[in-house]
Amino acid sequence: MEKMISSCGLDCATCDAYIATKNDDNAMRTRVAKEWSARYESPIKPEDINCSGCREAGAKFDWCNRCPIRTCVIDRAYETCAECGNLPCEHNSGLYQAVPEALKNLKDLR
């Protein structure tokens, strides 16, 4: 599977919201909504599970639409954080501690 690197370095191609959208899989949307509602202690409905990918045209999962990392990348007219000379920074260092693969993906883009 080809990677689809988001603004922050996560691989959208492995995201359940992207996969459910790509496959138009309502059963997966229902499962993901239930799992994410419990994990993030926030009500998420199956119809919320739609995303074309962070850097692609189309639908965005609600969090991705307001993600401060994505907003920073867009405000600076970058494609990803890999273009920033201040990587990692206060916006994304917590993400890279939790998901080191995201930082590796960005370094691979350089």
Side-chain angles (χ1 to χ4, degrees), residues 49-71:
I49 306 297
N50 285 294
C51 193
S52 303
C54 176
R55 296 173 38 211
E56 305 300 317
K60 302 287 174 270
F61 181 66
D62 181 57
W63 169 251
C64 299
N65 256 337
R66 35 188 189 100
C67 169
I69 299 170
R70 183 173 179 268
T71 300

Side-chain angles (χ1 to χ4, degrees), residues 24-86:
D24 195 21
D25 186 336
N26 289 327
M28 184 174 191
R29 285 184 177 104
T30 299
R31 178 184 57 78
V32 171
K34 183 177 179 180
E35 289 174 6
W36 288 6
S37 290
R39 181 182 309 151
Y40 301 116
E41 299 178 353
S42 180
I44 299 171
K45 297 175 277 194
E47 56 268 24
D48 297 332
I49 306 297
N50 285 294
C51 193
S52 303
C54 176
R55 296 173 38 211
E56 305 300 317
K60 302 287 174 270
F61 181 66
D62 181 57
W63 169 251
C64 299
N65 256 337
R66 35 188 189 100
C67 169
I69 299 170
R70 183 173 179 268
T71 300
C72 181
V73 166
I74 291 169
D75 287 350
R76 293 170 185 248
Y78 294 155
E79 289 292 317
T80 71
C81 291
E83 297 174 63
C84 184
N86 194 26

